[in-house]
Amino acid sequence: KAMSARELDVKPAIPDTCDQALAQIGRATWDRYDVMLWAARHGATTAQLSAASLVHPWFCDQIVALAAAERELSVPLADLDAHALRGARRAGATDRMIATAVGSTELEVGQRRRALGVVPTYHAVDTCAAEFAAQTPYYYAAFDTESEAPDTVGRSIIVLGSGPNRIGQGVEFDYCCVHAVTGARELGYAAVMVNCNPETVSTDHGVSDRLYMEPVTIDSVLDICALEQPLGVITQLGGQTPLRLARTLADHGVPILGTSPEAIDLAEDRGRFGDVLSRLGLRAPPWCVANDPDDVEAAAAQIGYPVLVRPSYVLGGRAMAICDSPDDVRAYLRRERPDGVILVDRFLEGALEFDVDAICDGDSCWTAAVMEHVEAAGIHSGDSACVLPPQQVDPGIIAELEAQTAAIALELGVVGLINVQFALVGGELYVIEANPRASRTVPFVAKATGVPVVRHALRVMLGEKLADLALPDWRASTHVAVKEAVLPFSRFTGSDPLLGPEMRATGEVMGLAHTFEAAFAKAQRGAGMPLPKSGRVFLSTRDADKARAVALGADLAAYGLELCATRGTAVGLAAAGVPVTQVRKVSEGADNITDAILAGEIAMVINTPSGGGDLTDGAAIRHAAIRAGIPCITTIEAAEAATKAIGTDDVEPVALQDIA
């Protein structure tokens, strides 16, 4: 694809001519390099690329050289010799690029390249600008004649990182990789890190014994494994990117530490995982697999609306959407243009969601924590606030969550970390999904409980049993921990803070206290949105939330805040005896609610959209709240939690030692 301009809401078509590609370069933001390479492949010169992109000519010349090297690959793979393959790799072509040029596969190219002796040489990153001999164990690959590769010791463990940070795959997984690497070194192993992002802790000096600053791709990792000859590779700590490599690595004889590729596939393949749940007698929302985009609408009709639609094997909720009608499905397909298998699940409206993190050794399972989401189903777990321990369910539900997690982990054959997500509707538990890897909640769990979860998981991956680790009960803590997402909306003009199934958070914070209300208040303050104790609160909710809005409006008024609302919500509040001032909608002309927000007259916005015209008015209100830098809450559950937090006085900092 030429580029993925999500800000345009629709992916633009691949250009037909070089001139079209050059015109697109100026608009491309995320995948500008792809557009530039496409143009170079179709005759664009260095000068043209530099003028269109404002990128320095040196880099544009490298792109032109890469395109020229690809054009030279005009023969079948079997006819490519070592000289041609080495030249293509030196120019920057990956095995995948070569495969595309010669009509082969990435693995076939890699096999032929290695058979001909075309393997990378590894060179130390010169961190001293040649003034002194560099001592840092950082290495990068080239295809030269000499190598500075280190002598391997035979007791190395390779940890695969996440690669480039992006929404849903970054710092939380980097935390897990760092703790695995440092834990392996403490156990006497040489810890080797593979990650290409310098803006991560896992690539910091002194964290690992050796760092390969290389892409987390199958060709790079196989080349590194051929050099290192490790005792094993850990794929379950860096998110979905390394997890996808497990099967191919194992097929090439690379030992995988922890959960086997077969168990990973059993959890990731929706049909096979459905069979697992059936054998265990566990519930799951009705679902269907559409093998082609043309089948999605029929699958949704079979499941029944509303449905959750997503491509298979996604992370961070990428390209996920909740669809209420066939029109929504068609709009989703036009917007996302998904390729391959698409999963269609019944969306459980109003469900209470839970995350369970656990460690399994193949014979027994230990629960690290059970977390309850603040927002109802429909908000991605990375964006939803969550609380540990759960606040709204009794011990029987918590025990059932632990039992079902253990049953799933043991049936899958997990060795290491597993995360299972559940939904509670009408007193019944439903399994949403199981991830046989580290989840983004692992750092939160470890910090909230004080248990080094990743280090225990590492020891299990290396063959130890849970019974030998003397692991504590996660329920022993006497404090409450709330994780809140840090959202980037203030950095992007015109962005809408409305949350949904696709993750948008770029960080997270934690609030600790003796009560949920105080912990939630601290988490909001940590996220940069302290809750007001005085001033005016604007309240506008969808019809389904009106009854709950009246109750929280009454509480806000009791805590000394003034209320204002648009007509529909104001009528409901006034009828219940809650003092409220009616304000104009955006569509009703001047002196409306957005003017009041931008004038600094509003301390907090609560706006739960319902669709239709509300999306227009609601979006303008939310945009104004972001510009004004005030809290903007878009779910009724978060609004209720915020109201409780406003009513508490226990928000002063407390030393961790005092709440342990």
Side-chain angles (χ1 to χ4, degrees), residues 452-470:
V453 176
V454 176
R455 292 173 187 246
H456 290 314
L458 171 69
R459 296 177 67 174
V460 168
M461 291 181 223
L462 293 172
E464 295 189 52
K465 291 297 183 181
L466 290 170
D468 301 326
L469 301 180

Side-chain angles (χ1 to χ4, degrees), residues 159-181 193 195 200-202 234-243 314-316 357 380-381 417 419 435-444 454 503 508:
V159 178
L160 301 184
S162 297
N165 277 2
R166 53 191 176 275
I167 301 300
Q169 181 160 329
V171 67
E172 297 95 341
F173 296 124
D174 193 61
Y175 167 98
C176 297
C177 291
V178 168
H179 279 260
V181 166
M193 189 73 213
N195 203 5
T200 54
V201 180
S202 65
I234 296 177
T235 64
Q236 64 177 263
L237 300 179
Q240 205 72 24
T241 296
L243 202 71
V314 299
L315 187 71
D357 281 330
H380 191 277
S381 60
L417 287 161
N419 169 267
N435 298 300
R437 55 167 172 81
S439 71
R440 62 178 51 82
T441 53
V442 164
F444 168 64
V454 176
M503 183 174 168
E508 61 184 39

Side-chain angles (χ1 to χ4, degrees), residues 153-483:
V153 296
R155 267 180 63 83
S156 66
I157 291 173
I158 293 179
V159 178
L160 301 184
S162 297
N165 277 2
R166 53 191 176 275
I167 301 300
Q169 181 160 329
V171 67
E172 297 95 341
F173 296 124
D174 193 61
Y175 167 98
C176 297
C177 291
V178 168
H179 279 260
V181 166
T182 54
R185 297 180 77 180
E186 291 171 359
L187 293 173
Y189 297 93
V192 178
M193 189 73 213
V194 179
N195 203 5
C196 58
N197 190 343
E199 293 297 325
T200 54
V201 180
S202 65
T203 55
D204 281 358
H205 171 61
V207 171
S208 58
D209 290 291
R210 287 183 293 282
L211 164 69
Y212 291 90
M213 192 74 72
E214 286 295 298
V216 187
T217 57
I218 193 62
D219 57 341
S220 294
V221 175
L222 283 174
D223 286 332
I224 293 168
C225 289
L227 171 68
E228 285 284 344
Q229 294 296 306
L231 291 175
V233 174
I234 296 177
T235 64
Q236 64 177 263
L237 300 179
Q240 205 72 24
T241 296
L243 202 71
R244 288 175 174 173
L245 304 183
R247 168 67 73 183
T248 306
L249 290 173
D251 290 344
H252 282 74
V254 176
I256 303 299
L257 293 177
T259 304
S260 69
E262 173 62 22
I264 292 170
D265 187 68
L266 197 58
E268 297 279 344
D269 184 285
R270 178 50 64 93
R272 300 185 68 196
F273 184 62
D275 293 339
V276 168
L277 296 181
S278 296
R279 288 197 299 272
L280 295 173
L282 303 181
R283 295 182 182 85
W287 58 273
C288 189
V289 175
N291 293 310
D292 187 272
D294 294 336
D295 300 330
V296 175
E297 192 173 337
Q302 175 184 334
I303 296 300
Y305 291 98
V307 295
L308 181 67
V309 194
R310 56 177 167 160
S312 184
Y313 293 89
V314 299
L315 187 71
R318 172 70 182 88
M320 290 175 62
I322 298 169
C323 298
D324 295 313
S325 67
D327 287 342
D328 289 347
V329 171
R330 288 190 287 270
Y332 167 83
L333 295 173
R334 287 194 302 271
R335 181 176 66 250
E336 299 295 346
R337 299 215 299 247
D339 300 319
V341 173
I342 301 165
L343 304 180
V344 183
D345 298 79
R346 170 75 62 78
F347 174 62
L348 302 177
E349 292 185 280
L352 184 61
E353 288 197 29
F354 299 88
D355 265 276
V356 182
D357 281 330
I359 300 175
C360 184
D361 62 10
D363 297 317
S364 61
C365 187
W366 170 75
T367 301
V370 175
M371 292 152 280
E372 178 185 285
H373 292 204
V374 172
E375 287 84 358
I379 307 301
H380 191 277
S381 60
D383 288 348
S384 176
C386 73
V387 56
L388 191 171
Q391 302 292 300
Q392 301 184 60
V393 292
D394 59 45
I397 293 292
I398 294 175
E400 183 61 23
L401 288 165
E402 293 187 85
Q404 291 195 19
T405 298
I408 291 169
L410 293 170
E411 183 69 19
L412 293 175
V414 169
V415 179
L417 287 161
I418 183 173
N419 169 267
V420 186
Q421 296 178 14
F422 296 90
L424 179 66
V425 182
E428 300 289 351
L429 281 174
Y430 294 83
V431 179
I432 299 176
E433 64 181 9
N435 298 300
R437 55 167 172 81
S439 71
R440 62 178 51 82
T441 53
V442 164
F444 168 64
V445 169
K447 293 173 183 178
T449 63
V451 178
V453 176
V454 176
R455 292 173 187 246
H456 290 314
L458 171 69
R459 296 177 67 174
V460 168
M461 291 181 223
L462 293 172
E464 295 189 52
K465 291 297 183 181
L466 290 170
D468 301 326
L469 301 180
L471 296 172
D473 188 333
W474 65 275
R475 288 165 291 202
S477 297
T478 58
H479 61 268
V480 177
V482 171
K483 182 212 72 154

Side-chain angles (χ1 to χ4, degrees), residues 56 65 90-91 285 319 343 420 431 531 567 574 642:
H56 192 281
R90 280 183 173 178
L343 304 180
V420 186
V431 179
L531 299 172
R567 184 185 305 111

